[in-house]
Amino acid sequence: MCGIFGCILKKGEAAPIIHGGLKKLEYRGYDSVGIATIDRGHLFIKKDSGKIDDVHEMHDLDDLPGRIGVGHTRWATHGAPYQVNAHPHTDCNKQIAVVHNGIIENFAELKTELEDLGHTFKSKTDTEVIAHLIEEVMKKEVLFVDAVREAMKRIDGSYAVAVISVKAPDQIVCARKESPLVLGVAKDSIYVASDIPAFLPKTNKSVVIEDGELVVLSDKGYEIRSIADWNLVTREPELIDWAPEAAEKQGYPHFMLKEIHEQPLRLRNTLRIQDQYLDLMTTFLDRAGEVFLVACGTSYHACLAASYLFSKLSFLATHPVIASEFVEQHGKSVNIDSTLLVVSQSGETADTLEAVESARLRAATVLGLTNIVGSTLTRVARVYIVQQSGPEIGVAATKTFTSQLSVLSQLAIKLAKKRGKVSHVEIEDLEESLERIPDIVEEIISSEEEKVKQLAKKYADRQTFFFLGRGMGSAVALEGKLKLMEISYIPSLAYPAGESKHGPISLIESGFPVIFICPKDSTHRSIIGNIMEMKARGASIIAIIEKDDEEIKELADDYIEIDTGLPEVLSPIPFVIPLQLFAYYMSLERGNDPDMPRNLAKSVTVK
Ligand code: F6R
């Protein structure tokens, strides 16, 4: 997690620009913030625990001199979120400042070694060892850049670092291993950041730094080298076509609401993915001996829904696996005949990448579905598809979930076609239905948002919720529960409805709210049975139903009615929309910030 940002300007003050860049990275972690600049041979630092705006109010982060500097917004891994643990970290003599995203696995050994050499540590972080390591190497009168290289060679683990030193006051030296790092290149300035939106307002020219590379930034530009052999790497900037305002809130009070509303547009983009990529991935899936669908959190729920799709449409059995369990569950059996379809919005989730690595070591084929071009997943996958959702800033995944479902549906339909398992007429109907989904989602948002808001008001004080669905609806139930829980902090449960009577039903007492996902598919009859069971025990029934489902309307205390008319396999996308809105409004009702849920970060790059 964590966000790093650095810049060198030909003229002007760097601190306000770094502050602005960090605001764009705040979704990556926001328990502390800090900035270091260099001016006239001195290092200046301001840092503290708390959100960026609060720290700025206390310390005025813009008031630091110099046209060069680095900054950091933190999500704590080593050391509690206190001021002393906030980045940047310095060496003993306050000559070097380091910001870091990642985890240094051998920091305890390095720290002991450095302490034995007389270094004094101020923080409990792993990062501080980097500053002292560089200081130690520089005692041998080596150049700053060489010292950073030597330090990086000593470090095990993951890092994206940006370092400045008063000994080289015109340079930022950066390095990357397994944590994202990109450069932004403009005429009179140069930037380094954890991701592109951080510098998009300043430049749309970007260079992705690869694992094992070190970069020297100066006001003359950038020089990339391989840390291992010091070979020069030539890489020209690429033009990024995201408009800067794509990463702004565009008038919505929160990114999450903006991103929920953006779904029709994003789903249209997702339908524009070129056939050649979908066809290639379909070929790999078709040939596979066994297929694992591997992901975490919301992306895992997309995989779970996809496992029903692949089975129902393409007659392909798949194993959806939570990434952090993959090595334990399948690490020994995965082999050259196995294929992993790995789904990760960020493409940087540590648990997901660990599963990928273990499978690659056993010669399995890795296919990737991600939202981030240049992410680690795109570099390790044999074939990857970019889901085209645009940057998602809200911590709770919304538009990226529905885009993932759209891509996975397209793959399942293509595979069905390839395998000749489904009639032409049915395939045509599915393809046409997919094309209609963006409009259907648009209609659901415009007609149901107010009703969902009222529902949230009515149920705002409930202590817990139960989400139930059957078939693909059980994946939607899990996702609805995750959304509600992560931003409103209401402990909730989700189960396949049939399983609820094997234990969870004992929780039900008068007024216990149970949300049912009720598409009019092959599970409809059984879902009605489950509603009756809950109702008989006094539960308050909230049902998400298809338009004119009079039978369930009769049974439910409250319902949200959506007009889809879609084939049953495509129901998850429209059915999840009211649940995203419900989570959002519940979060507001309970006085939370839905964009920044406590203890969470957008990209989980630690195991
Ligand atoms: C929930 C959420 C997380 C992510 C999970 C995986 O709203 O966003 O559960 O889905 O951390 O992230 P990616 O898809 O980036 O691998």
Side-chain angles (χ1 to χ4, degrees), residues 273-314:
I273 291 170
Q274 288 178 14
D275 269 341
Q276 70 197 77
Y277 298 115
L278 293 161
D279 287 338
L280 185 58
M281 202 172 274
T282 307
T283 305
F284 276 100
L285 290 171
D286 189 29
R287 278 197 216 134
E290 57 178 357
V291 176
F292 296 99
L293 306 173
V294 182
C296 300
T298 291
S299 299
Y300 169 73
H301 298 150
C303 288
L304 196 59
S307 68
Y308 290 84
L309 269 163
F310 282 122
S311 169
K312 281 174 185 281
L313 291 179
S314 340

Side-chain angles (χ1 to χ4, degrees), residues 498-518:
E499 185 66 7
S500 63
K501 55 189 176 298
H502 299 285
I505 199 165
S506 69
L507 290 174
I508 303 300
E509 52 187 16
S510 177
F512 194 112
V514 185
I515 300 183
F516 276 94
I517 321 302
C518 315

